[in-house]
Amino acid sequence: MLIKRRQGWEAPGRDVTPEAAFFGRRAVMKGAGAIGGALGLGLSLSPALADEAPPPGIPAAAMRFKPGRALTAERVAETYNNFYEFSTDKDMWRLAQKFPQRPWSISFDGMVEKPFTIGIDDLLKQMQVEERVYRHRCVEAWGMTVPWSGFPLAKLVALAKPTSGAKFIAFTSDENPKVMPGLDGFMPWPYVEGLTLAEANNELAFIGTGLYGKPMPPQNGGPIRLITPWKYGFKSGKSIVKVSFLEKQPKTFWAELGPDEYGFWANVNPGVPHPRWSQAQERLIGTDQVVDTQIYNGYGEWVASLYAGMPQTRKLFM
Ligand SMILES: Nc1nc2c(c(=O)[nH]1)N[C@H]1C(S)=C(S)[C@@H](COP(=O)(O)O)O[C@H]1N2
Ligand SMILES: [Mo]
């Protein structure tokens, strides 16, 4: 039985509704129940770390992007997920246990010297895997801090050899109707997300192939996903099967579904509210803590220069 508990951030008139609001009242009610359910797991964490000493089992190098927060409990990060191909419920992890992770291959197309397809294990052999602790900020006003493993997206770009006309990169997620009951008729599947090539080559942009020192769980986007910690979580497409290099900005899943609420850029900004809720604060999942959200999710030091020449409008932050 899921119980909806009133949280500190649920001030009257500040109606934080999951993205599922698009799919009608029933989906919204289910989403709200799932939030209560995850909080009901009874896990708690110590307050945010004062320094950047690595938590047990985490290499010091993984802390170089200064997470500044305690790690989210592993079980929480792996049982409270958004993966709409399966379900709009946060506890879709059960369904994902049947999602085959091998064989898996990723194709590269569009503006590249030569299109090709590579198996995940061949790809992993070519990459030096490292660990990084990043904050993750969902547009639904929750956050987590987790140790990902993987490699810089720039390395994947280099492998693909884009031609000089390529300005954007698009990531397509797998569509597997055998195991994904959420692939219904009216959402614009497959899930596609994109970045500019300059963003993709930024050192923060990361390809995740593991979490908490294990292979990436299917519910978190195994075997391979994108991680762009300065942007809202919906930018980080899961379970990627295709990487395309383009001259023009790609049409993305969320921008197609709700163009007034979700855009291409989606850079985190506490000062730009979502049309239906504030982005000023975030709830740290698995805890009772609510913390202030930071511009670029606190990663401005690494990414603000990407946007310096652009008009600083709402569009950049939705
Ligand atoms: N293919 C696909 N990728 C996706 C999503 C999705 O529904 N489908 N949800 C996104 C959203 S909204 C978030 S917050 C993150 C959640 O990642 P996590 O479950 O590992 O926390 O995945 C993103 N990537
Ligand atoms: Mo999200």
Side-chain angles (χ1 to χ4, degrees), residues 266-310:
N267 293 306
V268 174
N269 187 339
V272 176
H274 183 278
R276 289 180 285 128
W277 60 83
S278 167
Q279 295 292 25
Q281 294 190 313
E282 65 206 67
R283 178 177 57 86
L284 302 182
I285 59 169
T287 79
D288 291 330
Q289 288 176 267
V290 174
V291 299
D292 289 343
T293 289
Q294 306 167 72
I295 180 115
Y296 296 116
N297 198 23
Y299 294 106
E301 175 184 348
W302 292 278
V303 298
S305 62
L306 286 168
Y307 313 103
M310 294 175 57

Coordinates of all heavy atoms in Angstrom, one line a residue, residues 266-310:
A266 N 17.5 22.5 -21.7 CA 17.3 21.9 -20.4 C 18.4 22.0 -19.4 O 18.7 21.1 -18.6 CB 16.9 20.4 -20.6
N267 N 19.1 23.2 -19.4 CA 20.1 23.4 -18.4 C 19.4 23.7 -17.1 O 18.5 24.5 -17.0 CB 21.0 24.5 -18.8 CG 21.8 24.2 -20.1 OD1 22.5 23.2 -20.1 ND2 21.8 25.0 -21.1
V268 N 19.9 23.1 -16.0 CA 19.3 23.4 -14.7 C 19.5 24.8 -14.3 O 20.6 25.4 -14.4 CB 20.0 22.4 -13.6 CG1 19.5 22.7 -12.2 CG2 19.8 21.0 -14.0
N269 N 18.4 25.4 -13.9 CA 18.4 26.8 -13.4 C 17.3 27.0 -12.3 O 16.1 26.9 -12.7 CB 18.2 27.8 -14.5 CG 18.4 29.2 -14.1 OD1 18.3 29.6 -12.9 ND2 18.6 30.1 -15.1
P270 N 17.7 27.2 -11.1 CA 16.6 27.4 -10.0 C 15.8 28.6 -10.2 O 14.6 28.6 -9.7 CB 17.5 27.5 -8.7 CG 18.8 28.0 -9.2 CD 19.0 27.4 -10.5
G271 N 16.2 29.6 -11.0 CA 15.5 30.8 -11.2 C 14.5 30.7 -12.3 O 13.7 31.7 -12.5
V272 N 14.5 29.6 -13.1 CA 13.5 29.5 -14.2 C 12.5 28.4 -13.8 O 12.9 27.2 -13.9 CB 14.2 29.2 -15.5 CG1 13.2 29.0 -16.6 CG2 15.1 30.4 -15.9
P273 N 11.3 28.7 -13.3 CA 10.4 27.7 -12.9 C 9.9 26.9 -14.1 O 9.8 27.4 -15.2 CB 9.3 28.4 -12.2 CG 9.4 29.8 -12.6 CD 10.8 30.1 -13.1
H274 N 9.5 25.6 -13.8 CA 8.7 24.9 -14.8 C 7.4 25.5 -14.8 O 7.0 26.1 -13.8 CB 8.7 23.4 -14.3 CG 7.9 22.5 -15.2 ND1 6.6 22.4 -15.2 CD2 8.4 21.6 -16.2 CE1 6.2 21.5 -16.2 NE2 7.3 21.1 -16.8
P275 N 6.6 25.5 -15.9 CA 5.3 26.1 -15.9 C 4.4 25.7 -14.8 O 3.5 26.4 -14.4 CB 4.7 25.8 -17.3 CG 5.9 25.5 -18.1 CD 7.0 25.0 -17.2
R276 N 4.6 24.5 -14.3 CA 3.7 23.9 -13.2 C 4.3 23.8 -11.8 O 3.7 23.4 -10.9 CB 3.1 22.6 -13.7 CG 2.1 22.8 -14.8 CD 1.5 21.4 -15.2 NE 2.4 20.7 -16.1 CZ 2.8 19.4 -15.8 NH1 2.3 18.8 -14.8 NH2 3.6 18.8 -16.6
W277 N 5.6 24.1 -11.7 CA 6.2 24.0 -10.3 C 7.5 24.8 -10.3 O 8.1 25.1 -11.3 CB 6.4 22.6 -9.9 CG 7.3 21.7 -10.8 CD1 8.7 21.7 -10.7 CD2 6.9 20.8 -11.8 NE1 9.2 20.8 -11.6 CE2 8.1 20.2 -12.3 CE3 5.7 20.4 -12.3 CZ2 8.1 19.3 -13.3 CZ3 5.7 19.5 -13.3 CH2 6.9 18.9 -13.8
S278 N 8.0 25.1 -9.1 CA 9.2 25.8 -8.9 C 10.4 24.8 -9.1 O 10.3 23.6 -8.8 CB 9.3 26.3 -7.5 OG 10.6 26.8 -7.2
Q279 N 11.5 25.4 -9.6 CA 12.8 24.6 -9.7 C 13.8 25.1 -8.6 O 15.0 24.7 -8.7 CB 13.4 24.7 -11.1 CG 12.5 24.1 -12.2 CD 12.4 22.5 -12.1 OE1 12.6 21.9 -11.0 NE2 12.2 21.9 -13.2
A280 N 13.3 25.9 -7.7 CA 14.3 26.5 -6.7 C 15.0 25.5 -5.8 O 16.1 25.7 -5.4 CB 13.5 27.5 -5.9
Q281 N 14.3 24.4 -5.5 CA 14.8 23.4 -4.6 C 14.6 22.0 -5.1 O 13.9 21.8 -6.1 CB 14.1 23.5 -3.2 CG 14.4 24.9 -2.6 CD 13.9 24.9 -1.1 OE1 12.8 24.5 -0.8 NE2 14.7 25.3 -0.2
E282 N 15.3 21.1 -4.5 CA 15.1 19.7 -4.9 C 15.1 18.8 -3.6 O 15.8 19.1 -2.6 CB 16.2 19.3 -5.8 CG 17.6 19.3 -5.3 CD 18.7 19.5 -6.3 OE1 18.8 20.6 -6.9 OE2 19.5 18.6 -6.5
R283 N 14.4 17.7 -3.7 CA 14.4 16.7 -2.7 C 15.4 15.7 -3.0 O 15.5 15.2 -4.1 CB 13.0 16.1 -2.7 CG 12.7 15.0 -1.7 CD 11.2 14.6 -1.7 NE 10.9 14.1 -3.1 CZ 11.1 12.9 -3.5 NH1 11.6 11.9 -2.8 NH2 10.7 12.5 -4.8
L284 N 16.2 15.3 -2.0 CA 17.3 14.3 -2.2 C 16.6 12.9 -1.9 O 16.3 12.7 -0.8 CB 18.5 14.6 -1.3 CG 19.2 15.9 -1.5 CD1 20.4 16.1 -0.6 CD2 19.5 16.2 -3.0
I285 N 16.5 12.1 -2.9 CA 15.7 10.9 -2.8 C 16.4 10.0 -1.7 O 17.6 10.0 -1.6 CB 15.5 10.1 -4.1 CG1 16.8 9.8 -4.8 CG2 14.6 10.9 -5.0 CD1 16.6 8.8 -6.0
G286 N 15.6 9.3 -1.0 CA 16.1 8.4 0.1 C 16.4 9.1 1.4 O 16.8 8.5 2.3
T287 N 16.1 10.5 1.4 CA 16.4 11.2 2.6 C 15.2 12.2 2.8 O 14.3 12.3 2.0 CB 17.6 12.1 2.5 OG1 17.3 13.3 1.8 CG2 18.8 11.4 1.9
D288 N 15.2 12.9 3.9 CA 14.1 13.9 4.2 C 14.7 15.3 3.8 O 14.0 16.3 4.1 CB 13.7 13.9 5.6 CG 13.0 12.6 6.0 OD1 12.3 12.1 5.1 OD2 13.1 12.2 7.2
Q289 N 15.8 15.3 3.2 CA 16.4 16.6 2.9 C 15.9 17.3 1.7 O 15.7 16.6 0.6 CB 17.9 16.5 2.7 CG 18.7 16.2 3.9 CD 20.2 15.9 3.6 OE1 20.6 14.8 3.3 NE2 20.9 17.0 3.5
V290 N 15.7 18.6 1.8 CA 15.4 19.5 0.6 C 16.5 20.5 0.5 O 16.8 21.1 1.6 CB 14.0 20.1 0.8 CG1 13.7 21.1 -0.3 CG2 12.9 19.1 0.9
V291 N 17.1 20.6 -0.6 CA 18.3 21.5 -0.7 C 18.0 22.5 -1.9 O 17.2 22.3 -2.8 CB 19.6 20.8 -1.0 CG1 19.9 19.9 0.2 CG2 19.6 20.0 -2.3
D292 N 18.7 23.6 -1.8 CA 18.6 24.6 -2.9 C 19.2 24.0 -4.2 O 20.3 23.4 -4.2 CB 19.3 25.9 -2.6 CG 18.6 26.7 -1.5 OD1 17.4 26.4 -1.3 OD2 19.2 27.6 -0.9
T293 N 18.5 24.3 -5.3 CA 19.1 23.9 -6.6 C 20.1 24.9 -7.1 O 19.9 26.1 -6.8 CB 17.9 23.7 -7.6 OG1 17.2 22.5 -7.2 CG2 18.4 23.5 -9.0
Q294 N 21.1 24.5 -7.7 CA 22.1 25.4 -8.2 C 22.1 25.6 -9.7 O 21.7 24.6 -10.4 CB 23.5 24.9 -7.8 CG 23.7 24.6 -6.3 CD 25.0 23.9 -6.1 OE1 26.1 24.4 -6.2 NE2 24.9 22.6 -5.8
I295 N 22.5 26.8 -10.2 CA 22.5 26.9 -11.7 C 23.5 25.9 -12.3 O 24.5 25.6 -11.7 CB 22.9 28.4 -12.0 CG1 22.9 28.6 -13.5 CG2 24.2 28.8 -11.4 CD1 21.9 29.5 -14.1
Y296 N 23.1 25.4 -13.4 CA 23.8 24.3 -14.1 C 24.1 23.2 -13.1 O 25.1 22.5 -13.1 CB 25.2 24.8 -14.6 CG 25.0 25.8 -15.8 CD1 25.4 27.1 -15.6 CD2 24.3 25.5 -16.9 CE1 25.2 28.1 -16.6 CE2 24.1 26.4 -18.0 CZ 24.6 27.7 -17.8 OH 24.4 28.6 -18.8
N297 N 23.2 23.0 -12.1 CA 23.3 22.0 -11.1 C 24.6 22.0 -10.4 O 25.2 21.0 -10.0 CB 23.0 20.6 -11.7 CG 22.7 19.5 -10.7 OD1 22.2 19.8 -9.6 ND2 23.0 18.2 -11.1
G298 N 25.2 23.2 -10.3 CA 26.5 23.4 -9.6 C 27.7 23.2 -10.5 O 28.8 23.2 -10.0
Y299 N 27.5 22.9 -11.8 CA 28.6 22.6 -12.6 C 29.0 23.7 -13.6 O 29.7 23.5 -14.6 CB 28.3 21.3 -13.5 CG 28.2 20.1 -12.6 CD1 27.0 19.5 -12.4 CD2 29.3 19.5 -12.0 CE1 26.8 18.4 -11.6 CE2 29.2 18.4 -11.2 CZ 28.0 17.8 -11.0 OH 27.8 16.7 -10.2
G300 N 28.6 25.0 -13.2 CA 28.9 26.1 -14.1 C 30.4 26.3 -14.4 O 30.8 26.7 -15.5
E301 N 31.2 26.0 -13.4 CA 32.7 26.1 -13.5 C 33.2 25.3 -14.8 O 34.1 25.7 -15.4 CB 33.3 25.4 -12.2 CG 34.7 25.3 -12.2 CD 35.2 24.5 -10.8 OE1 34.3 24.4 -9.9 OE2 36.3 24.1 -10.8
W302 N 32.5 24.2 -15.1 CA 32.9 23.4 -16.3 C 32.1 23.7 -17.6 O 32.6 23.5 -18.7 CB 32.8 21.9 -16.0 CG 33.7 21.5 -14.9 CD1 35.1 21.2 -15.2 CD2 33.5 21.4 -13.5 NE1 35.7 20.9 -14.0 CE2 34.8 21.0 -13.0 CE3 32.4 21.5 -12.7 CZ2 34.9 20.7 -11.6 CZ3 32.6 21.3 -11.4 CH2 33.8 20.9 -10.8
V303 N 30.9 24.2 -17.4 CA 30.0 24.3 -18.6 C 29.4 25.7 -18.9 O 29.0 25.9 -20.1 CB 28.8 23.3 -18.5 CG1 29.3 21.9 -18.4 CG2 27.9 23.6 -17.3
A304 N 29.5 26.6 -18.0 CA 28.9 27.9 -18.3 C 29.4 28.6 -19.6 O 28.7 29.2 -20.3 CB 29.0 28.9 -17.1
S305 N 30.7 28.3 -19.9 CA 31.3 28.9 -21.1 C 30.7 28.4 -22.4 O 30.7 29.1 -23.4 CB 32.8 28.7 -21.1 OG 33.0 27.3 -21.1
L306 N 30.1 27.3 -22.3 CA 29.4 26.7 -23.5 C 28.3 27.7 -24.0 O 27.9 27.7 -25.2 CB 28.8 25.4 -23.2 CG 29.7 24.1 -23.1 CD1 28.9 23.0 -22.5 CD2 30.3 23.8 -24.4
Y307 N 27.7 28.4 -23.0 CA 26.5 29.2 -23.3 C 26.8 30.7 -23.3 O 25.8 31.5 -23.4 CB 25.4 28.8 -22.4 CG 25.2 27.3 -22.3 CD1 25.7 26.6 -21.2 CD2 24.7 26.6 -23.3 CE1 25.7 25.2 -21.1 CE2 24.6 25.2 -23.3 CZ 25.1 24.5 -22.2 OH 25.0 23.2 -22.1
A308 N 28.0 31.1 -23.1 CA 28.4 32.5 -22.9 C 27.9 33.4 -24.0 O 27.5 34.5 -23.8 CB 29.9 32.6 -22.6
G309 N 28.0 32.9 -25.2 CA 27.7 33.8 -26.4 C 26.2 33.7 -26.7 O 25.8 34.3 -27.7
M310 N 25.4 33.0 -25.9 CA 24.0 32.8 -26.3 C 23.1 33.7 -25.5 O 23.4 34.1 -24.4 CB 23.6 31.3 -26.1 CG 24.3 30.4 -27.0 SD 23.9 28.7 -26.6 CE 22.2 28.6 -26.7

